[in-house]
Amino acid sequence: MPTPLAIPSQLSLLASLTLYPLLFRLITPGHPSHIRFVKSREAISALHCTLVALISIYELKRHYLDRAPSTPTSLSNLEDIKSAHSGYGANLPVITIRSSLSNAITAWETGYLLQDTVILLLGARLRSQQSHTRLAKEINWRVLLWHHGGLSVALLILQWYIARGKEKGVLVIIMLMLMNASTPVGTLHWYLVNFRPGKKTAIMVANVAYLVAYAAFRVYLIYWILSAFGEQTRESAFGAYRRLRLSCQIGTATIGVTNSIWLMMSVRKFSRRYLRVTPPKKAV
């Protein structure tokens, strides 16, 4: 399917590396406080994640027919596709589809992560210098730095393959980009807790919305991606997972288990805060 807007990935990467820092500078005053600094960072994060999630949905919808289940005329190659010798899924449309828009999306994400890593480093430094100012719900700078650093390296390797015209599985990465959809809801909850603490009901609703979004876009999404593999080989999601290469099994399981554990911990924390029944006081 032809791409409606062919954007070179290198241009997308350069634009992301340039525009986000400029936007951050425009909305952040000179010599900002730690709180003002992190507020600007979170606003750009929410904007970026919304943009990437929406355009990823558009791209996946555009390629829906391209990754539809195999037709009867193509089922003669089904066993070859399934075989471990050829690498499970290596010839599936969900892996082989190439798109300049998909490449541009991954490049845009790479640029954002690289510049946001620098902003996180500056923010952590500013936070240590202004230890007297604290937010009710702080950002975990260390975890975010590790997260962004690892993803940046992986996406930079992908950009190297794209530049050589040897990229594969880009559509799967676009599926994973849908995880961004939960971030704006989490940012809203973070903002309400820190800057509108009196709005108790709104904070609770935002917390519920974030847990639902996290469950959908960071936990169930893994099952959905496996289902996309399985429907092309007439298998279940679990059957598709079993046929993945060991490295892919480990990576998929790590993401799924880690996100599931975080979700369960967050639900437990929510239950203790809002659903715990306080026993009545005994009369003296």
Side-chain angles (χ1 to χ4, degrees):
M1 181 179 292
T3 301
L5 182 60
I7 305 173
S9 58
Q10 295 85 352
L11 178 60
S12 178
L13 175 61
L14 180 61
S16 182
L17 282 170
T18 304
L19 294 177
Y20 281 127
L22 285 177
L23 179 59
F24 184 84
R25 185 67 184 88
L26 285 174
I27 66 175
T28 309
H31 307 290
S33 66
H34 156 65
I35 293 176
R36 185 67 183 85
F37 189 95
V38 73
K39 189 185 289 186
S40 297
R41 187 262 163 192
E42 287 298 297
I44 292 177
S45 172
L47 173 66
H48 166 77
C49 290
T50 301
L51 174 65
V52 169
L54 289 175
I55 197 169
S56 296
I57 291 171
Y58 166 77
E59 176 72 340
L60 291 172
K61 184 178 180 182
R62 199 171 66 86
H63 286 292
Y64 177 76
L65 294 177
D66 294 341
R67 59 181 182 84
S70 302
T71 60
T73 56
S74 63
L75 288 179
S76 58
N77 298 324
L78 192 54
E79 291 305 317
D80 291 336
I81 291 175
K82 287 182 177 181
S83 68
H85 177 71
S86 60
Y88 174 74
N91 299 317
L92 294 177
V94 73
I95 293 296
T96 58
I97 286 174
R98 290 185 175 183
S99 164
S100 61
L101 181 55
S102 292
N103 292 346
I105 295 171
T106 64
W108 184 267
E109 178 78 5
T110 305
Y112 167 78
L113 289 171
L114 288 171
Q115 63 83 37
D116 194 48
T117 299
V118 175
I119 289 177
L120 285 170
L121 287 169
L122 294 175
R125 179 182 177 186
L126 189 61
R127 174 69 183 83
S128 64
Q129 294 173 350
Q130 300 179 7
S131 57
H132 59 283
T133 59
R134 287 187 175 276
L135 291 168
K137 187 178 179 64
E138 286 281 359
I139 288 177
N140 194 326
W141 301 95
R142 183 175 298 177
V143 170
L144 281 174
L145 279 169
W146 278 106
H147 177 269
H148 281 29
L151 286 181
S152 296
V153 171
L155 287 175
L156 281 172
I157 294 173
L158 173 63
Q159 299 312 308
W160 182 71
Y161 277 102
I162 290 173
R164 299 176 63 197
K166 295 184 177 181
E167 73 277 9
K168 271 194 171 187
V170 179
L171 204 61
V172 176
I173 297 173
I174 298 301
M175 292 177 181
L176 290 171
M177 293 287 183
L178 294 180
M179 289 188 180
N180 284 302
S182 67
T183 299
V185 189
T187 300
L188 174 62
H189 177 249
W190 173 87
Y191 176 82
L192 291 172
V193 169
N194 285 306
F195 303 105
R196 297 293 186 271
K199 296 183 178 297
K200 302 295 185 182
T201 302
I203 291 173
M204 183 181 70
V205 171
N207 198 345
V208 171
Y210 179 54
L211 292 175
V212 172
Y214 193 97
F217 293 107
R218 292 183 183 263
V219 179
Y220 175 76
L221 180 69
I222 304 301
Y223 171 82
W224 180 72
I225 292 174
L226 289 172
S227 296
F229 275 86
E231 71 180 9
Q232 293 191 344
T233 55
R234 306 298 172 88
E235 292 181 297
S236 65
F238 182 67
Y241 173 79
R242 286 173 39 182
R243 288 183 176 274
L244 292 175
R245 289 176 297 178
L246 180 60
S247 58
C248 294
Q249 286 182 337
I250 293 173
T252 302
T254 300
I255 296 173
V257 171
T258 302
N259 289 356
S260 297
I261 291 174
W262 190 96
L263 178 63
M264 289 187 290
M265 291 173 60
S266 298
V267 170
R268 183 184 180 191
K269 185 177 180 181
F270 175 88
S271 301
R272 286 183 171 183
R273 177 172 299 173
Y274 295 107
L275 303 180
R276 183 168 54 184
V277 178
T278 304
K281 295 182 179 179
K282 294 182 179 180
V284 178

